[in-house]
Amino acid sequence: MGSYLNPGTIEFQESLNSEIYIDKTGLIDKTNALLRTKQKFICISRPRRFGKSMAADMLAAYYERGEDSEKLFAGLAISRAESFYKHLNQYDVLKINMQEFLSESQNIDEMLQMLKKYLIFDLKECYEQVCFRDEENLVQVMKDIYTCTKHSFVILIDEWDCLFREYKEDKESQRKYLDFLRAWLKDKAYVALAYMTGILPIKKYGSHSALNMFTEYSMTDPGNMAEYFGFTEQEVKGLCEKYSMNFEEARAWYNGYHLITHSQSGDRKYSIYNPKSVVESMLRHKFGTYWNQTETYEALKIYIQINMDGLKDAVIEMLGGGSVRINIGTFGNDMTTFANRDDILTLLVHLGYLTYDSELETVSVPDREVAQEYVNAITTMDWHEVTESIQESRKLLEALWNLDGDAVARGIDKAHKEISILQYNDENSLSCTVHLAFYFAREYYTIVRELPTGKGYADICFIPRKLYADKPAVVIELKWDKSAEGAIAQIKNKEYVEALKDYHGNLLLAGINYDKKEKEHTCVIEQLVY
């Protein structure tokens, strides 16, 4: 294990030297504003491979006393900020990756003992001139340094939550760990900034948290930190231009996470892309599944097969492109304490398997890459009916292109029977079945629900992406216990096709009806000819 006190700038330099580097130094201006205030405790939670460790390296390089980092940050966003010189290289930095200590230890006591031992060693070696009152006590050693030198510390803790992910059931170890962090950081004058990153938000115990001094910036409430973890749409556009990659395809594959920042000047919405996947696709010049190579679908499978309170129904609906309303308030911020379905879905948001819309309070599957992860998980479970529907969806799409309404109706009938878990009682449940039955359509299309059109909203629209401009656009209208012909008439009467006028000449209209009495679907497909 290396030095944890003032670890140098090499890690950040390597990021700067990489072929793809996106400037996230604006984060430093945010942390500068919080130094030595009551808001100096920051906890950032994001899924794996979202740039959390790189951000910690960047902060270390900026704050570390004894370095000369001015040239390192020249030309980057922070160099133009008013706060740049005020805090540059002004603090002792302690930078710790908790996973290192956890993996070298047999239990929590051994882990904390090792952590304290290494930190005390580094501190005593650097501050030989200080007279320490208790050389075995980390808190006292840091108090003595601060009293003697007035040097305060920026403390950066990466993978802060690894213990909760490894010791999922061990509540006593979790408590000991939180008590240590609290005793070390809370109400200590030597702390100028305490910055933690991990996947999970801070563990709750009852109505309070052992670390209630921290402000949390998470996937459900990113505060003003949304743009600093992951890539923004503008950043991905720039990379697609540079690497001659199709932005529309990048958006279909990786545009998953929709975060909102609230401020006095108004709300700002961000589409956040997984940086690992974007970087890999640019460097390999090929879109594919890259993020989930870092953690197998087995992790997702563990949670979705719990099937608490209709979890399976929710997953099926979201796989079909729908969203599910949830209450995130009961989640205990761990990986085992689930009071209801919503707690599991909230965990999946923090793990990156779902995205949360804070305005609508709904969750959905983020993008094509993550949807594939669900398919991978489901094919190894006993959800055979869902797997079969997804596999059959390729044939169903071809039947649609061939204007074969009977084949489409039979395919939707089959999907409905296979997914009989869904309560089939309205147009909504019909929509869910149709979306899942046409799962494969996302290979070629941007699929839009409730598209605003001439005199209303078209139920479902398949809009071909530019790479697949030879495929027809499709307007689908759904009816419950009425008629497929009536659905086609509605498309025409309400001028739904106006929204897709660019596709005239290559546009299909499909009316789908479910007959309650006959318990079967009918489908009429027309090619719009001008």
Side-chain angles (χ1 to χ4, degrees), residues 47-48 50 219 233 248-259 270-275 277 289 291-292 300 304 314-315 317-324 345-357 362-375 439 442 445-447 465:
R48 287 191 183 283
F50 256 69
M219 292 297 281
E233 190 146 278
E248 195 181 18
E249 288 302 297
R251 186 163 53 187
W253 272 96
Y254 311 123
N255 171 24
Y257 305 95
H258 304 290
L259 304 181
Y270 292 92
S271 289
I272 298 294
Y273 291 62
N274 185 307
S277 305
T289 53
W291 168 67
N292 42 34
L300 175 61
I304 62 175
V315 171
E317 187 163 344
M318 290 187 291
L319 258 184
S323 57
V324 174
L345 295 176
T346 305
L347 172 62
L348 294 180
V349 172
H350 292 296
L351 295 177
Y353 292 114
L354 293 175
T355 181
Y356 178 68
D357 185 321
T362 58
V363 288
S364 54
V365 175
D367 50 43
R368 186 174 162 191
E369 180 183 40
V370 179
Q372 186 57 46
E373 198 72 350
Y374 281 87
V375 173
Y439 179 86
R442 65 191 71 191
Y445 293 101
T446 298
I447 300 171
R465 300 198 300 277

Side-chain angles (χ1 to χ4, degrees), residues 259-370:
L259 304 181
I260 302 175
T261 288
H262 305 282
S263 69
Q264 266 184 315
S265 54
D267 295 349
R268 189 165 178 193
K269 297 182 181 181
Y270 292 92
S271 289
I272 298 294
Y273 291 62
N274 185 307
K276 159 76 174 171
S277 305
V278 172
V279 167
E280 289 292 334
S281 64
M282 296 298 135
L283 296 181
R284 295 168 186 253
H285 213 73
K286 176 179 177 291
F287 295 114
T289 53
Y290 299 113
W291 168 67
N292 42 34
Q293 291 172 359
T294 66
E295 190 170 298
T296 76
Y297 60 81
E298 291 292 334
L300 175 61
K301 181 177 165 181
I302 289 166
Y303 298 107
I304 62 175
Q305 66 187 3
I306 293 172
N307 195 24
M308 177 188 280
D309 300 336
L311 178 64
K312 184 174 183 179
D313 299 36
V315 171
I316 290 171
E317 187 163 344
M318 290 187 291
L319 258 184
S323 57
V324 174
R325 191 176 177 86
I326 69 165
N327 171 17
I328 63 172
T330 60
F331 181 53
N333 295 355
D334 65 23
M335 304 181 86
T336 56
T337 314
F338 305 124
N340 51 48
R341 176 201 76 165
D342 289 1
D343 288 352
I344 298 171
L345 295 176
T346 305
L347 172 62
L348 294 180
V349 172
H350 292 296
L351 295 177
Y353 292 114
L354 293 175
T355 181
Y356 178 68
D357 185 321
S358 60
E359 289 183 315
L360 299 176
E361 298 181 343
T362 58
V363 288
S364 54
V365 175
D367 50 43
R368 186 174 162 191
E369 180 183 40
V370 179

Side-chain angles (χ1 to χ4, degrees), residues 373-409:
E373 198 72 350
Y374 281 87
V375 173
N376 292 345
I378 286 167
T379 52
T380 65
M381 293 161 54
D382 61 354
W383 292 21
H384 306 302
E385 71 283 1
V386 182
T387 304
E388 202 165 325
S389 283
I390 289 169
Q391 289 168 347
E392 291 285 320
S393 66
R394 190 184 298 253
K395 292 179 190 168
L396 198 68
L397 187 61
E398 287 171 1
L400 179 70
W401 290 339
N402 293 330
L403 311 184
D404 190 341
D406 290 342
V408 169

